[in-house]
Amino acid sequence: MNIEQYLSDAVSAAIKELYGYDLPVEQKALQKTKKEFRGHLTLVVFPFLKASKKSPEQTAQETGFYLREHFPDLVADFNVIKGFLNITIAGRLWIRSLNAIHGCRDYGFVGATPSSPLIMIEYSSPNTNKPLHLGHIRNNLLGYSLSEIMKANGYNVVKTNIVNDRGIHICKSMLAWQKWGNGATPESTGRKGDHLVGDFYVLFDKHYKAELRELLAAGLGEQEAESKSLLMAETREMLRRWEAGDDEVRALWRMMNSWVYAGFNETYRRLGVNFDKIYYESETYLEGKKTVLEGLSRGVFYRRDDGSVWADLTADGLDEKLLLRSDGTSVYMTQDVGTAKLRFDDYPVNKMIYVVGNEQNYHFQALSILLDKLGFEFGKGLVHFSYGMVELPEGKMKSREGTVVDADDLMDEMISTARDISGELGKLDGLTQQESDEIIRIIGLGSLKYFILKVDPRKNMTFNPKESIDFNGNTGSFIQYTYARIRSVLRKASVSGDASLSGTAFVSEENMASETASVSEEALVSENTFVSEKVAVSENASVSGKEEAIIQLLTEYPSIVKEAGVAYSPSCIANYIYELVREYNQFYHDYSILREENEDVRRLRLILSENVARIIRSGMSLLGIEMPDRM
């Protein structure tokens, strides 16, 4: 049941009866009462003072008295602070709300149908000249979480990736392997394929800088030195040969890319992200060139004297944009035009969302305008989910200098840190080695994901591995520990055959878990959970203010899921779950659950605990975070 809607309707009736005024929807908005005041929901009365022709305080008092007298099953009490009417909801209604939540299997989610709008979300977009790094982690986590959130809001979603597998940067790694690789392979070196190729990218930069230093020492200026670089000339020639379909260059390219793809797949699996469709720039750039040349023939674009093709976007508030170089080779924009066209050929997409860092804001402004100029209806509707950069406490990372933190290394460090901290606190005492290893993995990766996703995606952030694993703060490990604590309480109640839960219809925990959960049976006790169609809380049970506060938070979950979808912000989910967990921990500290003597109250607290656990697990699944049943 929707208490806020019920109260909103009651407020409309009150204002109509008291002042003869039909209250517009926008004027009866309710807000959660601030913690420093008594009450659950607050009504601002200023919008209808013209109708009441009375002071804010008197209008609020009259409205409060009317609600309490005519809706006693809804309004238990009220108080007035100036023009704010703070309303206390009757405890019986909170119990009804808890029972309604308890009986709703997909609480908070809107189911999609075949006719629901289709959203395509692009994320990851790696280059095949280096492994995934910390910046890619934020991108992948945001993209995957956004996909899950949009599914929860009733959309059909296609998760897609564009692999940048061609271009000058790819040729740098290839040329370095050719010159200094000595036939090295992942098997011969023991290096993960993407890391091995990344080593050659760094090696190219090392030799290139040494060459530039020699040229500068010979008296050349910086720009002249760069233009005289033999390494860069060889790299450009390799790119030209690649685009011409040279057999030798293409064979080297396929071999090195195969190493990288094997490495990427392992990293994606560990990170818990996946894709429905992967596009490759080596395939889409041709479509882009074709589309650009068609636009050139129609006068949408123009060719300069050197043969390069450009778009004039000055009338749109931007500048002129290069689409094809003078030698006919493509740029990123060409590829993105082609990829967009192929995607809309493949799927009946209603909206396209690109998860790309904010340094590409201009690029996507231009892409939207270019697609529109080319006559594609989807051009104006594309969404650039622009997020801030992620750095380490030491500062920015640089791929070419080899100062980037690789995603694999960071995940290893997070798991190692989780092991050390959990061991110091004795969190894993009594578990087998296999159980301990799996829970440590869940804690380490969960802490990494939560620390990144709790931040507003539009903001730059600094990631500190040690700060992210803290069992007493706004962290994934704190939330996971609370969840495990609740599961422990429910197990004890189940083992003891608690009479307050007799007749419970047990349902598999796995049915409620995220489709992407991959937690082992050894780490989780997944046989039972208290999702009951028979057992409900008695409306005669005494409910405390703290319990009411938790139930009120539970009732907000559907609106939080909706807000996260509208704002494209997983942080809405993360920070809501933290608030719920914090409230529950205060309740757990102050109230007995299993030792409560009153059967109705004990049932209330067990069912409240079960539904807090359900919402925690549900919300964290939207963030791609697994939950351990034991810690």
Side-chain angles (χ1 to χ4, degrees):
M1 71 180 309
N2 189 324
I3 289 178
E4 193 166 323
Q5 184 59 54
Y6 186 7
L7 181 57
S8 180
D9 292 342
V11 167
S12 293
I15 301 305
K16 176 70 172 177
E17 180 65 26
L18 290 170
Y19 310 120
Y21 180 54
D22 289 316
L23 197 61
V25 173
E26 64 273 11
Q27 290 187 3
K28 57 181 178 181
L30 296 160
Q31 57 193 42
K32 193 172 182 178
T33 303
K34 294 181 179 179
K35 285 186 176 292
E36 58 265 34
F37 301 116
R38 183 167 45 88
H40 297 109
L41 293 167
T42 296
L43 175 70
V44 181
V45 302
F46 295 106
F48 42 90
L49 292 182
K50 283 186 178 180
S52 71
K53 296 182 173 58
K54 296 177 181 178
S55 69
E57 291 83 356
Q58 189 175 358
T59 302
Q61 287 282 356
E62 289 179 353
T63 305
F65 278 123
Y66 185 95
L67 291 171
R68 190 171 63 183
E69 179 182 354
H70 291 85
F71 298 92
D73 62 331
L74 171 63
V75 177
D77 202 2
F78 71 92
N79 65 88
V80 174
I81 307 293
K82 297 184 178 178
F84 299 90
L85 173 59
N86 301 319
I87 299 167
T88 300
I89 303 299
R92 184 173 295 182
L93 221 57
W94 291 121
I95 292 176
R96 289 180 192 170
S97 291
L98 177 59
N99 284 334
I101 292 169
H102 189 56
C104 182
R105 255 184 132 33
D106 298 315
Y107 179 66
F109 290 8
V110 178
T113 68
S115 61
S116 297
L118 176 64
I119 292 179
M120 180 176 280
I121 300 178
E122 176 196 289
Y123 59 96
S124 196
S125 307
N127 297 325
T128 57
N129 63 324
K130 55 191 175 184
L132 303 177
H133 55 65
L134 175 56
H136 287 115
I137 285 182
R138 190 179 198 190
N139 180 294
N140 279 277
L141 296 182
L142 286 170
Y144 180 83
S145 179
L146 182 61
S147 299
E148 296 303 299
I149 289 168
M150 300 313 284
K151 288 180 190 176
N153 278 285
Y155 293 96
N156 291 309
V157 174
V158 174
K159 295 175 288 186
T160 187
N161 186 1
I162 175 68
V163 178
N164 297 305
D165 63 342
R166 58 162 293 280
I168 197 76
H169 51 296
I170 310 299
C171 290
K172 289 177 181 178
S173 294
M174 292 165 57
L175 185 65
W177 184 88
Q178 209 173 48
K179 284 180 169 294
W180 307 295
N182 298 315
T185 68
E187 292 75 23
S188 69
T189 61
R191 286 283 278 171
K192 191 163 167 277
D194 51 337
H195 288 259
L196 178 63
V197 173
D199 292 343
F200 286 109
Y201 184 61
V202 173
L203 186 60
F204 176 92
D205 191 63
K206 177 182 175 181
H207 283 274
Y208 174 59
K209 285 183 175 176
E211 183 186 24
L212 289 182
R213 284 195 296 270
E214 290 181 7
L215 292 170
L216 291 170
L220 274 66
E222 188 171 334
Q223 287 188 344
E224 188 180 4
E226 291 176 356
S227 68
K228 296 286 186 181
S229 165
L230 295 179
L231 275 177
M232 282 305 299
E234 286 184 82
T235 307
R236 286 191 290 269
E237 173 60 15
M238 180 175 276
L239 176 60
R240 189 198 63 75
R241 289 172 61 195
W242 184 94
E243 293 211 3
D246 182 278
D247 290 340
E248 180 185 354
V249 172
R250 287 289 179 120
L252 174 61
W253 171 75
R254 283 191 293 269
M255 179 180 72
M256 295 183 72
N257 275 356
S258 70
W259 300 344
V260 175
Y261 296 147
F264 283 173
N265 289 339
E266 184 180 337
T267 305
Y268 288 140
R269 179 190 58 77
R270 290 186 71 195
L271 198 57
V273 302
N274 52 42
F275 309 95
D276 301 307
K277 175 77 173 181
I278 297 179
Y279 292 87
Y280 298 90
E281 182 183 346
S282 57
E283 298 169 357
T284 66
Y285 89 102
L286 291 172
E287 187 67 32
K289 288 182 70 172
K290 176 184 172 184
T291 304
V292 167
L293 291 174
E294 288 174 355
L296 178 66
S297 68
R298 301 197 329 254
V300 177
F301 309 129
Y302 73 95
R303 192 185 293 275
R304 289 188 177 176
D305 293 340
D306 64 357
S308 59
V309 177
W310 294 74
D312 184 357
L313 305 181
T314 53
D316 301 284
L318 302 181
D319 56 14
E320 296 183 331
K321 187 68 180 173
L322 174 66
L323 298 177
L324 290 174
R325 299 186 184 95
S326 57
D327 61 3
T329 56
S330 303
V331 295
Y332 275 126
M333 186 63 77
T334 322
Q335 164 242 301
D336 279 346
V337 168
T339 305
K341 183 179 184 301
L342 289 175
R343 284 171 172 165
F344 282 85
D345 287 344
D346 291 343
Y347 296 93
V349 178
N350 297 101
K351 182 176 289 186
M352 179 72 215
I353 301 175
Y354 294 86
V355 181
V356 183
N358 56 19
E359 79 278 11
Q360 294 293 325
N361 285 351
Y362 175 89
H363 176 87
F364 285 96
Q365 277 183 279
L367 177 61
S368 177
I369 294 169
L370 287 171
L371 291 171
D372 184 52
K373 286 181 179 294
L374 286 165
F376 298 123
E377 294 181 4
F378 51 81
K380 290 182 178 178
L382 71 81
V383 175
H384 175 205
F385 177 12
S386 173
Y387 63 89
M389 294 296 97
V390 56
E391 300 174 2
L392 291 168
E394 296 79 18
K396 292 184 178 180
M397 305 174 289
K398 297 180 181 179
S399 298
R400 280 173 287 187
E401 297 178 9
T403 59
V404 162
V405 174
D406 292 326
D408 299 308
D409 295 340
L410 182 57
M411 286 189 280
D412 289 341
E413 181 181 349
M414 291 299 300
I415 291 170
S416 177
T417 302
R419 187 183 303 280
D420 293 343
I421 294 176
S422 298
E424 291 172 7
L425 298 176
K427 296 292 185 187
L428 304 174
D429 293 348
L431 297 178
T432 68
Q433 188 62 51
Q434 188 176 7
E435 289 173 337
S436 177
D437 288 345
E438 180 65 359
I439 291 173
I440 285 168
R441 181 190 68 80
I442 292 170
I443 294 172
L445 297 185
S447 298
L448 166 65
K449 293 178 181 183
Y450 184 83
F451 196 89
I452 287 177
L453 292 174
K454 74 177 181 179
V455 178
D456 183 335
R458 292 163 294 189
K459 295 181 179 178
N460 291 341
M461 66 170 293
T462 300
F463 177 74
N464 189 319
K466 291 184 179 179
E467 284 183 9
S468 68
I469 301 180
D470 183 342
F471 289 92
N472 294 295
N474 185 6
T475 63
S477 49
F478 172 63
I479 293 170
Q480 289 171 325
Y481 180 64
T482 301
Y483 176 83
R485 168 184 278 174
I486 298 173
R487 295 294 302 152
S488 176
V489 170
L490 297 177
R491 279 195 300 273
K492 290 175 183 177
S494 179
V495 170
S496 67
D498 196 308
S500 68
L501 292 168
S502 60
T504 297
F506 289 103
V507 178
S508 167
E509 173 88 10
E510 294 168 348
N511 290 340
M512 299 196 317
S514 163
E515 292 179 4
T516 60
S518 58
V519 189
S520 71
E521 290 183 2
E522 291 82 4
L524 300 183
V525 175
S526 60
E527 302 86 30
N528 302 314
T529 188
F530 294 104
V531 179
S532 166
E533 290 126 13
K534 297 179 181 179
V535 176
V537 180
S538 168
E539 292 188 12
N540 295 320
S542 174
V543 55
S544 69
K546 179 58 69 177
E547 289 158 343
E548 290 177 349
I550 294 173
I551 297 170
Q552 185 173 9
L553 273 172
L554 295 181
T555 66
E556 295 169 9
Y557 184 54
S559 63
I560 294 295
V561 173
K562 182 178 181 181
E563 178 188 351
V566 170
Y568 303 140
S569 181
S571 64
C572 295
I573 302 289
N575 290 293
Y576 164 80
I577 294 297
Y578 172 64
E579 184 182 0
L580 176 62
V581 164
R582 189 174 54 181
E583 286 284 344
Y584 182 85
N585 273 286
Q586 292 173 0
F587 157 76
Y588 183 87
H589 180 269
D590 295 340
Y591 293 88
S592 173
I593 299 177
L594 296 177
R595 295 180 182 177
E596 170 58 46
E597 295 183 358
N598 184 294
E599 186 175 313
D600 286 339
V601 174
R602 187 166 66 253
R603 178 183 297 173
L604 163 67
R605 291 176 183 171
L606 282 167
I607 290 179
L608 177 63
S609 298
E610 160 58 21
N611 284 281
V612 169
R614 282 180 63 205
I615 301 298
I616 292 173
R617 188 180 188 109
S618 173
M620 294 293 267
S621 76
L622 295 179
L623 305 179
I625 297 175
E626 302 166 70
M627 303 301 290
D629 268 21
R630 298 177 187 271
M631 280 177 70

